[in-house]
Amino acid sequence: MINLVPLVAVQTALYQTLAKYITGYKVVDDTTPVEDGEPPEEAVIVIGESTAKPNTAKADYPAWEVTFSIHCFSPYHGKAQLNEMFNDVVCTLTGAVYIGGFTIKGYELHDLEIDMIEAFREEYTDGEVWQHGIVRVLLKVEQKEM
């Protein structure tokens, strides 16, 4: 079997799931809303950095541990909206897995867990302060037969 890196497939599944079930904020998979030190125009969820680590127990069906950082940006000066965004991301992903609505093309999902959640202030060049947080998601996937 030819081993494939699962990053595109996992990112696609994350984006499709979050965009389908989360309302009230835009979900994007690029950094355009926060480039050049400028704040985004509104609250936004950005699928960000990723890692993939081979975890192969069987040569015929490669397994991977994949992490994605999901960034949440809120213009609200307190933490309330950011915490709601965290809750929306975590409930959406874990709920979709629970009901069988999270599928990764070409891979079998063995586990999805929330690795950590972090919140901090983000100061932009115009002096505006936003809340920025990260939900790090850890997925264990196995490549299906190709």
Side-chain angles (χ1 to χ4, degrees):
M1 172 182 288
I2 297 172
N3 294 0
L4 302 175
V5 178
L7 292 175
V8 171
V10 173
Q11 180 174 334
T12 299
L14 288 169
Y15 174 78
Q16 289 175 343
T17 302
L18 293 171
K20 179 177 180 180
Y21 294 109
I22 290 182
T23 59
Y25 336 103
K26 185 188 291 188
V27 176
V28 298
D29 62 356
D30 67 40
T31 59
T32 303
V34 290
E35 288 177 352
D36 301 325
E38 297 295 325
E41 295 178 15
E42 59 190 353
V44 64
I45 295 171
V46 179
I47 299 172
E49 302 80 16
S50 59
T51 62
K53 177 182 172 186
N55 186 13
T56 304
K58 300 179 267 182
D60 293 344
Y61 296 95
W64 293 84
E65 289 184 5
V66 178
T67 60
F68 269 88
S69 294
I70 300 172
H71 296 263
C72 300
F73 293 90
S74 167
Y76 187 74
H77 291 283
K79 294 271 194 272
Q81 185 179 39
L82 185 66
N83 290 335
E84 288 173 10
M85 295 172 82
F86 288 156
N87 193 56
D88 288 346
V89 169
V90 170
C91 287
T92 296
L93 294 177
T94 58
V97 169
Y98 180 74
I99 64 169
F102 186 86
T103 58
I104 305 169
K105 185 177 180 182
Y107 295 86
E108 181 179 338
L109 177 67
H110 288 286
D111 191 27
L112 181 149
E113 61 185 67
I114 305 305
D115 184 44
M116 70 103 195
I117 297 172
E118 179 180 17
F120 46 92
R121 289 170 27 117
E122 189 81 34
E123 294 187 33
Y124 290 95
T125 55
D126 65 358
E128 192 167 342
V129 175
W130 277 54
Q131 301 300 320
H132 177 189
I134 300 170
V135 177
R136 186 165 303 132
V137 182
L138 172 63
L139 304 97
K140 295 178 183 172
V141 300
E142 184 177 328
Q143 184 176 327
K144 293 180 182 177
E145 194 170 336
M146 295 289 294

